[in-house]
Amino acid sequence: MHVRPPRRTPATWGIPKENVIGSAAAYTYIDGRIVRSRELLGGLDLGPGKPEHIFAHTGRLPAFAGGNADVDIEMLRSAAFALLVRHDDDRREYAYTKGAEASLATARQLGGTVVSMKSDWATLF
């Protein structure tokens, strides 16, 4: 398998690719070529993998984290300030509140900041 060029995050979002943290493929050097493995370095970037990847990449836990699903709970808990986006507006975007029930309950329990796409988005933008 040959290595594909990375996504163009700088052109799309203005963020250098080395500042994007997520699941990372493992690579090997074979016969003068870099070959992508089917394995992941450090596991999958979901749930507890999120703060693990952030710490491995930066050497610290996040000052700010934003999330929108149950797989973000650990990352949001690890941040000094956390923001949960509640996707509850099926008129402007597909509403997908399923898969975010536990994160919403956790945010409420911890007194976290929750932003509703339906009620708060116009205020933010």
Side-chain angles (χ1 to χ4, degrees):
M1 178 185 312
H2 290 285
V3 176
R4 290 186 178 166
R7 288 192 170 155
R8 303 289 180 228
T9 57
T12 306
W13 301 103
I15 301 169
K17 65 182 177 183
E18 58 273 10
N19 290 348
V20 177
I21 302 171
S23 297
Y27 295 90
T28 55
Y29 183 75
I30 301 171
D31 297 326
R33 295 183 319 167
I34 296 290
V35 179
R36 184 178 176 166
S37 165
R38 294 185 186 271
E39 303 298 316
L40 292 175
L41 291 176
L44 194 58
D45 185 16
L46 294 173
K50 288 191 179 220
E52 292 167 0
H53 281 250
I54 292 167
F55 187 85
H57 192 81
T58 66
R60 58 184 153 236
L61 292 173
F64 169 80
N68 64 356
D70 290 349
V71 296
D72 297 325
I73 291 172
E74 290 85 356
M75 176 185 66
L76 295 172
R77 280 184 185 243
S78 73
F81 178 77
L83 176 76
L84 179 68
V85 177
R86 186 171 183 202
H87 285 266
D88 58 354
D89 189 351
D90 59 358
R91 208 176 66 168
R92 279 183 244 157
E93 187 193 45
Y94 178 74
Y96 54 93
T97 53
K98 280 192 173 193
E101 299 92 350
S103 59
L104 184 58
T106 301
R108 286 183 178 145
Q109 173 192 1
L110 299 175
T113 302
V114 179
V115 177
S116 162
M117 289 187 74
K118 186 184 253 181
S119 305
D120 302 321
W121 215 248
T123 303
L124 292 174
F125 290 98

